[in-house]
Amino acid sequence: MSDLSWARTRTIPDVVAPGLDVLFCGINPGLYSAATGHHFARPGNRFWPALHRSGFTPRQFHPSEQESLLELGLGVTNLVARATARADELTRDELEEGGRILTELVATHGPRFVAVVGITAYRTAFARPKAAIGAQPERLAGARLWVLPNPSGLNAHYQGPALAAAFAELRAEACRG
């Protein structure tokens, strides 16, 4: 793959609208995603397959179809807008500020659920060092809060079926209420 360092200056627009069922929140754009302008775009990222396998989408969407999520009551954003090669390049301050910005976005658009995709980033952004994957006891600006595993191919702890199962738990809860 060619050098994508030029993509560090790019951001990806949020895919958001008022009253979504679920707003997915990634950590930050990778360089490949920033270069394409699409969320979770890097080949090998398992977000789009997990979204489909869990029943959120009727078929596996390509990242370039991200706007189609809105028709399904879904959206996508990031905690931090800055593109990096790896999420561990982000600072604690950036993640904490991202948590504040996400809270404002949620207050403005009112999704029923917010799903932060990445436990370590969630723990840092919201000062919840003991948080676990799944439903969270607190709400975020009125929305029910959920934490999902990071779908990056670099996350060896969750393979495809386990990742899809984690997404499916959220889908089942979102369908219930």
Side-chain angles (χ1 to χ4, degrees), residues 53-134:
R53 290 183 186 133
S54 64
F56 274 111
T57 60
R59 63 177 173 76
Q60 186 173 319
F61 288 3
H62 185 271
S64 64
E65 298 176 286
Q66 64 189 19
E67 295 292 326
S68 298
L69 292 174
L70 296 174
E71 298 166 19
L72 301 173
L74 308 173
V76 65
T77 187
N78 285 299
L79 273 172
V80 177
R82 181 171 74 93
T84 61
R86 296 177 52 102
D88 62 8
E89 295 176 41
L90 299 173
T91 67
R92 173 177 292 281
D93 288 345
E94 284 177 299
L95 289 166
E96 289 172 351
E97 177 64 14
R100 288 187 287 276
I101 292 169
L102 177 61
T103 302
E104 292 171 11
L105 182 73
V106 172
T108 299
H109 292 285
R112 292 187 321 116
F113 286 82
V114 174
V116 178
V117 185
I119 185 71
T120 303
Y122 172 78
R123 287 173 176 161
T124 302
F126 294 97
R128 301 279 189 243
K130 305 237 186 253
I133 297 293

Side-chain angles (χ1 to χ4, degrees), residues 5-12 29-31 33-37 81-84:
S5 60
W6 61 270
R8 290 181 185 275
T9 61
R10 302 211 38 201
T11 59
I12 301 174
L31 297 181
S33 290
T36 65
R82 181 171 74 93
T84 61

